[in-house]
Amino acid sequence: MQQRLGQQIILFPLPLQGHLNPMLQLANLLYSKGFSITIVHTEFNSPNPANHPNFTFHAIADGLKGSQASTQDSVVLVSLLNINCFTPFHDWLSELLSSKISDGESITCLITDAIWHFAQGVADRLNIPRLVLKTSSVSSFAGFAAIPLLLEKGYLPKRESLLEEPVPELPPLRVKDLPVIKTHDPEDFYGLMSSVERETNASAGIIWNTFEQLEETSLNKLRQEIGIPIFPVGPLHKFFTASSSRLLAQDLSSISWLNQQATNTVLYVSFGSLATITETEFLEIAWGLANSKQPFLWVVRPGLVCNSEWLEPLPKGFLKMVGGRGKIIKWAPQQEVLAHPAIGGFWTHSGWNSTLESLCEGVPMICFPCIGDQMVNSRYVSHIWKVGVSLEKRLKREEIEREIRRVMVENEGQEMRERIMYWKEKLNSCSRQGGSSYNYLESLAAYISSF
Ligand code: UDP
């Protein structure tokens, strides 16, 4: 057991599943390096302290009222939280800093999700270094950071006639791949991203859930543009699983079901914690899966289908018709599922965590990006790393069936499987002693200790 250093780090995750997981994984890593950990969190989507007995937890009032506590419009939600959390966070931290001075243990720094842009102002006022954690890819950050240029050049807002056009300033992206998040007023999204970028650049450094070899070109470009240290220590889930930070109960029967399936035959389908689809899309997916004749494990999160609680739109007798070939669950132990030998493909919304988890287990992907950075991730999966295909057109059962067969049955899928094994090996070795992420973690710990 690593000796305690008497240095405490305050970590502040964004209360969304894809952000909570990497932050709590990072907390575990830093704890293993001897730092004491305090997690400050909102009341909305709060993590379960019982799963992390080594950490101290503190909830701050987030001021969300009624329907505001919803992920339906994530831009509205995080913009509101950035405003509401300023005073409670400032006051709590200010008090903590003064009490700890007399307490012996020093508070070394603050690590917040990059989206908490307000936290830089608090850190400056209280004179405490703030590092940010980026939970998305470096390549998508470049896309977000280029928004002012993209607006100036007319690539944004996206126009139907230009969607297929390449964006020479951001290869290999086309206009359709640019990371935007729909909200009632696009100006709110541009404003939010500009604040996040400005305050990230003002921080003491960026911890990135990525690894050197995977995004070497984007990382090198970033290093030339940014004047603060960068620590690509990912993939964070390789060190600690996400199970303990889950917000929904995992259906463990999925593993016993997978145990009965043949190697590389099952398509795992999940669109993460935020994406929503229409009832029409849901039905096309259901029929596409049924017609493909491949076994499938499908996560239908409650609320995934707009205006439905769960599976109400599914045609009567659907599951009986597909028989034992298909299983639908509400939430999966995703890392364990992807690592299961029965899994042969992952139909994903291309969230960054899901993409990394799939790369780590050598599972080729069918990408169905919905918002923001997912478009960029999908482009890299299909066109740079060439370990998946992209379902870009409107969801139609015939197209779905064709893409499933491409990845699961045809030679092309086999080639992707061979290519992804290269990344699997790289990802596994980067976190071992002497690997790039291992070394960055060592230098991050030394950097934090030097504050
Ligand atoms: N996840 C899970 N079970 C599921 C679906 C997702 O545990 O049934 C986890 C997944 O392993 C990943 C996170 O939820 O760590 C989703 O993050 P991602 O960045 O892929 O997408 P987001 O939910 O942020 O859109």
Side-chain angles (χ1 to χ4, degrees), residues 16-19 21-22 25 135 237 242-243 246 250 268 270-275 299 329-335 338 348-355 357 371 373-374:
L16 300 175
Q17 186 73 78
H19 292 250
N21 290 356
Q25 287 155 353
T135 62
H237 76 274
S243 287
R246 66 183 184 274
Q250 295 172 331
Y268 170 58
S270 171
F271 304 144
S273 62
L274 296 173
V299 175
I329 54 173
K330 289 184 174 166
W331 195 248
Q334 181 162 302
Q335 273 178 249
L338 287 170
T348 170
H349 69 310
S350 299
W352 186 237
N353 294 291
S354 294
T355 304
E357 288 159 10
I371 50 162
D373 65 319
Q374 298 159 12

Side-chain angles (χ1 to χ4, degrees), residues 117-149:
H117 59 78
F118 85 88
Q120 189 57 44
V122 174
D124 290 343
R125 270 200 209 184
L126 299 177
N127 204 18
I128 177 170
R130 167 186 177 246
L131 287 153
V132 303
L133 172 65
K134 292 292 286 183
T135 62
S136 54
S137 67
V138 180
S139 311
S140 63
F141 176 74
F144 286 123
I147 285 175
L149 176 80

Side-chain angles (χ1 to χ4, degrees), residues 346-416:
F346 181 13
W347 182 359
T348 170
H349 69 310
S350 299
W352 186 237
N353 294 291
S354 294
T355 304
L356 284 175
E357 288 159 10
S358 206
L359 283 167
C360 267
E361 299 306 337
V363 179
M365 288 164 260
I366 298 173
C367 302
F368 172 56
C370 301
I371 50 162
D373 65 319
Q374 298 159 12
M375 328 274 193
V376 180
N377 303 338
S378 162
R379 183 71 175 159
Y380 273 76
V381 166
S382 56
H383 283 81
I384 299 293
W385 306 318
K386 297 193 168 65
V387 292
V389 296
S390 182
L391 249 181
E392 293 181 339
K393 308 205 182 72
R394 275 184 342 117
L395 280 181
K396 287 277 163 227
R397 62 190 76 181
E398 299 77 17
E399 195 193 343
I400 292 169
E401 189 188 333
R402 194 160 43 83
E403 296 301 323
I404 293 178
R405 296 192 65 75
R406 246 175 106 188
V407 171
M408 301 296 291
V409 186
E410 290 168 12
N411 281 344
E412 215 183 330
Q414 193 45 38
E415 286 162 18
M416 288 175 205

Side-chain angles (χ1 to χ4, degrees), residues 207-223:
I207 305 164
W208 226 301
N209 190 16
T210 189
F211 80 104
E212 188 70 40
Q213 292 90 334
L214 186 68
E215 295 202 273
E216 201 164 19
T217 312
S218 305
L219 274 164
N220 284 339
K221 193 160 176 283
L222 185 79
R223 285 189 184 102

